[in-house]
Structure formats: C-alpha cells, structure tokens
mmCIF file of all heavy atoms in Angstrom:
data_model
loop_
_atom_site.group_PDB
_atom_site.id
_atom_site.type_symbol
_atom_site.label_atom_id
_atom_site.label_comp_id
_atom_site.label_asym_id
_atom_site.label_seq_id
_atom_site.Cartn_x
_atom_site.Cartn_y
_atom_site.Cartn_z
ATOM 1 N N ASN A 24 1.530 -5.335 18.001
ATOM 2 C CA ASN A 24 2.580 -4.321 17.966
ATOM 3 C C ASN A 24 2.881 -4.012 16.502
ATOM 4 O O ASN A 24 3.815 -4.528 15.905
ATOM 5 C CB ASN A 24 3.834 -4.818 18.675
ATOM 6 C CG ASN A 24 4.892 -3.731 18.754
ATOM 7 O OD1 ASN A 24 4.587 -2.552 18.683
ATOM 8 N ND2 ASN A 24 6.151 -4.125 18.874
ATOM 9 N N GLY A 25 2.090 -3.139 15.940
ATOM 10 C CA GLY A 25 2.117 -2.852 14.513
ATOM 11 C C GLY A 25 0.697 -2.934 14.002
ATOM 12 O O GLY A 25 -0.231 -2.491 14.670
ATOM 13 N N LEU A 26 0.499 -3.521 12.865
ATOM 14 C CA LEU A 26 -0.828 -3.660 12.292
ATOM 15 C C LEU A 26 -1.013 -5.081 11.773
ATOM 16 O O LEU A 26 -0.057 -5.721 11.322
ATOM 17 C CB LEU A 26 -1.029 -2.658 11.149
ATOM 18 C CG LEU A 26 -1.029 -1.185 11.566
ATOM 19 C CD1 LEU A 26 -0.778 -0.281 10.367
ATOM 20 C CD2 LEU A 26 -2.350 -0.826 12.238
ATOM 21 N N ALA A 27 -2.237 -5.566 11.854
ATOM 22 C CA ALA A 27 -2.547 -6.913 11.371
ATOM 23 C C ALA A 27 -2.361 -6.987 9.861
ATOM 24 O O ALA A 27 -2.396 -5.972 9.153
ATOM 25 C CB ALA A 27 -3.975 -7.274 11.755
ATOM 26 N N CYS A 28 -2.161 -8.193 9.362
ATOM 27 C CA CYS A 28 -1.915 -8.399 7.931
ATOM 28 C C CYS A 28 -3.211 -8.571 7.150
ATOM 29 O O CYS A 28 -4.125 -9.274 7.580
ATOM 30 C CB CYS A 28 -1.061 -9.653 7.712
ATOM 31 S SG CYS A 28 0.536 -9.639 8.543
ATOM 32 N N LYS A 29 -3.250 -7.951 5.992
ATOM 33 C CA LYS A 29 -4.342 -8.179 5.050
ATOM 34 C C LYS A 29 -4.169 -9.559 4.416
ATOM 35 O O LYS A 29 -3.045 -10.067 4.285
ATOM 36 C CB LYS A 29 -4.325 -7.097 3.981
ATOM 37 C CG LYS A 29 -5.412 -7.213 2.924
ATOM 38 C CD LYS A 29 -5.195 -6.230 1.787
ATOM 39 C CE LYS A 29 -5.454 -4.807 2.215
ATOM 40 N NZ LYS A 29 -5.430 -3.879 1.042
ATOM 41 N N ASN A 30 -5.276 -10.165 4.051
ATOM 42 C CA ASN A 30 -5.216 -11.421 3.310
ATOM 43 C C ASN A 30 -4.357 -11.217 2.062
ATOM 44 O O ASN A 30 -4.653 -10.357 1.231
ATOM 45 C CB ASN A 30 -6.629 -11.852 2.900
ATOM 46 C CG ASN A 30 -6.669 -13.210 2.224
ATOM 47 O OD1 ASN A 30 -5.709 -13.626 1.566
ATOM 48 N ND2 ASN A 30 -7.776 -13.908 2.372
ATOM 49 N N PRO A 31 -3.257 -11.981 1.915
ATOM 50 C CA PRO A 31 -2.345 -11.748 0.782
ATOM 51 C C PRO A 31 -3.018 -11.887 -0.579
ATOM 52 O O PRO A 31 -2.551 -11.294 -1.561
ATOM 53 C CB PRO A 31 -1.254 -12.802 0.973
ATOM 54 C CG PRO A 31 -1.825 -13.819 1.908
ATOM 55 C CD PRO A 31 -2.787 -13.080 2.777
ATOM 56 N N MET A 32 -4.115 -12.633 -0.649
ATOM 57 C CA MET A 32 -4.819 -12.775 -1.912
ATOM 58 C C MET A 32 -5.565 -11.496 -2.285
ATOM 59 O O MET A 32 -5.983 -11.334 -3.438
ATOM 60 C CB MET A 32 -5.790 -13.957 -1.842
ATOM 61 C CG MET A 32 -5.114 -15.297 -1.608
ATOM 62 S SD MET A 32 -3.803 -15.643 -2.822
ATOM 63 C CE MET A 32 -4.769 -15.723 -4.338
ATOM 64 N N HIS A 33 -5.753 -10.599 -1.331
ATOM 65 C CA HIS A 33 -6.457 -9.343 -1.593
ATOM 66 C C HIS A 33 -5.494 -8.179 -1.818
ATOM 67 O O HIS A 33 -5.919 -7.047 -2.019
ATOM 68 C CB HIS A 33 -7.383 -9.001 -0.420
ATOM 69 C CG HIS A 33 -8.450 -10.022 -0.194
ATOM 70 N ND1 HIS A 33 -9.167 -10.115 0.991
ATOM 71 C CD2 HIS A 33 -8.918 -11.028 -1.001
ATOM 72 C CE1 HIS A 33 -10.029 -11.115 0.902
ATOM 73 N NE2 HIS A 33 -9.899 -11.684 -0.302
ATOM 74 N N VAL A 34 -4.206 -8.441 -1.755
ATOM 75 C CA VAL A 34 -3.195 -7.390 -1.899
ATOM 76 C C VAL A 34 -3.098 -6.940 -3.355
ATOM 77 O O VAL A 34 -3.108 -7.764 -4.271
ATOM 78 C CB VAL A 34 -1.830 -7.902 -1.399
ATOM 79 C CG1 VAL A 34 -0.709 -6.966 -1.806
ATOM 80 C CG2 VAL A 34 -1.861 -8.068 0.121
ATOM 81 N N GLN A 35 -3.005 -5.622 -3.538
ATOM 82 C CA GLN A 35 -2.890 -5.037 -4.871
ATOM 83 C C GLN A 35 -1.643 -4.152 -4.945
ATOM 84 O O GLN A 35 -1.034 -3.821 -3.922
ATOM 85 C CB GLN A 35 -4.135 -4.190 -5.193
ATOM 86 C CG GLN A 35 -5.449 -4.938 -5.082
ATOM 87 C CD GLN A 35 -5.602 -6.014 -6.141
ATOM 88 O OE1 GLN A 35 -5.080 -5.874 -7.245
ATOM 89 N NE2 GLN A 35 -6.309 -7.079 -5.809
ATOM 90 N N ALA A 36 -1.281 -3.727 -6.147
ATOM 91 C CA ALA A 36 -0.112 -2.873 -6.338
ATOM 92 C C ALA A 36 -0.242 -1.569 -5.565
ATOM 93 O O ALA A 36 0.753 -1.023 -5.061
ATOM 94 C CB ALA A 36 0.094 -2.585 -7.827
ATOM 95 N N ASP A 37 -1.470 -1.052 -5.444
ATOM 96 C CA ASP A 37 -1.688 0.210 -4.729
ATOM 97 C C ASP A 37 -1.279 0.114 -3.260
ATOM 98 O O ASP A 37 -1.031 1.146 -2.623
ATOM 99 C CB ASP A 37 -3.157 0.634 -4.821
ATOM 100 C CG ASP A 37 -3.481 1.260 -6.171
ATOM 101 O OD1 ASP A 37 -2.528 1.536 -6.934
ATOM 102 O OD2 ASP A 37 -4.673 1.473 -6.454
ATOM 103 N N ASP A 38 -1.229 -1.091 -2.698
ATOM 104 C CA ASP A 38 -0.817 -1.260 -1.298
ATOM 105 C C ASP A 38 0.663 -0.949 -1.108
ATOM 106 O O ASP A 38 1.125 -0.783 0.032
ATOM 107 C CB ASP A 38 -1.099 -2.691 -0.824
ATOM 108 C CG ASP A 38 -2.580 -2.986 -0.726
ATOM 109 O OD1 ASP A 38 -3.315 -2.128 -0.208
ATOM 110 O OD2 ASP A 38 -3.001 -4.076 -1.158
ATOM 111 N N PHE A 39 1.419 -0.872 -2.206
ATOM 112 C CA PHE A 39 2.855 -0.605 -2.139
ATOM 113 C C PHE A 39 3.208 0.716 -2.826
ATOM 114 O O PHE A 39 4.377 0.964 -3.118
ATOM 115 C CB PHE A 39 3.638 -1.745 -2.810
ATOM 116 C CG PHE A 39 3.366 -3.091 -2.195
ATOM 117 C CD1 PHE A 39 2.359 -3.901 -2.697
ATOM 118 C CD2 PHE A 39 4.104 -3.535 -1.113
ATOM 119 C CE1 PHE A 39 2.099 -5.138 -2.133
ATOM 120 C CE2 PHE A 39 3.847 -4.771 -0.540
ATOM 121 C CZ PHE A 39 2.843 -5.575 -1.046
ATOM 122 N N PHE A 40 2.205 1.559 -3.051
ATOM 123 C CA PHE A 40 2.384 2.741 -3.895
ATOM 124 C C PHE A 40 1.920 4.002 -3.183
ATOM 125 O O PHE A 40 0.965 3.996 -2.412
ATOM 126 C CB PHE A 40 1.581 2.543 -5.187
ATOM 127 C CG PHE A 40 1.515 3.757 -6.075
ATOM 128 C CD1 PHE A 40 2.584 4.082 -6.894
ATOM 129 C CD2 PHE A 40 0.393 4.568 -6.073
ATOM 130 C CE1 PHE A 40 2.529 5.200 -7.713
ATOM 131 C CE2 PHE A 40 0.329 5.687 -6.880
ATOM 132 C CZ PHE A 40 1.398 6.001 -7.701
ATOM 133 N N PHE A 41 2.647 5.118 -3.449
ATOM 134 C CA PHE A 41 2.232 6.435 -2.955
ATOM 135 C C PHE A 41 2.631 7.477 -3.985
ATOM 136 O O PHE A 41 3.719 7.418 -4.558
ATOM 137 C CB PHE A 41 2.900 6.760 -1.621
ATOM 138 C CG PHE A 41 2.624 8.155 -1.123
ATOM 139 C CD1 PHE A 41 1.434 8.454 -0.486
ATOM 140 C CD2 PHE A 41 3.560 9.161 -1.299
ATOM 141 C CE1 PHE A 41 1.185 9.736 -0.020
ATOM 142 C CE2 PHE A 41 3.317 10.459 -0.849
ATOM 143 C CZ PHE A 41 2.128 10.739 -0.197
ATOM 144 N N SER A 42 1.753 8.424 -4.241
ATOM 145 C CA SER A 42 2.041 9.514 -5.167
ATOM 146 C C SER A 42 1.807 10.830 -4.443
ATOM 147 O O SER A 42 0.797 11.000 -3.772
ATOM 148 C CB SER A 42 1.123 9.426 -6.392
ATOM 149 O OG SER A 42 1.358 10.514 -7.263
ATOM 150 N N GLY A 43 2.757 11.745 -4.552
ATOM 151 C CA GLY A 43 2.565 13.034 -3.895
ATOM 152 C C GLY A 43 3.845 13.688 -3.427
ATOM 153 O O GLY A 43 3.810 14.603 -2.607
ATOM 154 N N LEU A 44 4.980 13.229 -3.945
ATOM 155 C CA LEU A 44 6.262 13.810 -3.530
ATOM 156 C C LEU A 44 6.864 14.710 -4.593
ATOM 157 O O LEU A 44 8.063 14.964 -4.588
ATOM 158 C CB LEU A 44 7.257 12.699 -3.164
ATOM 159 C CG LEU A 44 6.897 11.873 -1.930
ATOM 160 C CD1 LEU A 44 7.972 10.829 -1.657
ATOM 161 C CD2 LEU A 44 6.720 12.768 -0.711
ATOM 162 N N THR A 45 6.033 15.172 -5.530
ATOM 163 C CA THR A 45 6.541 16.079 -6.553
ATOM 164 C C THR A 45 6.946 17.402 -5.918
ATOM 165 O O THR A 45 6.383 17.827 -4.909
ATOM 166 C CB THR A 45 5.468 16.336 -7.618
ATOM 167 O OG1 THR A 45 4.265 16.784 -6.968
ATOM 168 C CG2 THR A 45 5.177 15.077 -8.413
ATOM 169 N N THR A 46 7.945 18.052 -6.527
ATOM 170 C CA THR A 46 8.473 19.291 -5.978
ATOM 171 C C THR A 46 7.401 20.369 -5.920
ATOM 172 O O THR A 46 6.642 20.577 -6.860
ATOM 173 C CB THR A 46 9.655 19.794 -6.832
ATOM 174 O OG1 THR A 46 10.654 18.784 -6.871
ATOM 175 C CG2 THR A 46 10.242 21.068 -6.245
ATOM 176 N N THR A 47 7.337 21.039 -4.783
ATOM 177 C CA THR A 47 6.384 22.138 -4.596
ATOM 178 C C THR A 47 6.982 23.149 -3.648
ATOM 179 O O THR A 47 7.801 22.814 -2.801
ATOM 180 C CB THR A 47 5.042 21.624 -4.026
ATOM 181 O OG1 THR A 47 4.187 22.751 -3.780
ATOM 182 C CG2 THR A 47 5.242 20.888 -2.715
#
C-alpha cells in the first residue's frame, strides 16, 4: 500500500528534489 523502499545506502539528494515550479 504505497511503494517499496529503496536501499537507504543507495539514496541520493536527487531522491528528495524537484525542479520545475518556476513562474510561467
């Protein structure tokens, strides 16, 4: 119910990042 977890040793900053909300 949700999604399985990635191995925490493979987690990177990009897993917590999103770019694309600039005003348009």
Side-chain angles (χ1 to χ4, degrees):
N24 185 23
L26 294 161
C28 302
K29 180 189 289 188
N30 185 330
M32 298 306 296
H33 298 163
V34 168
Q35 304 293 329
D37 282 350
D38 292 316
F39 302 92
F40 172 79
F41 174 80
S42 177
L44 294 181
T45 54
T46 302
T47 176

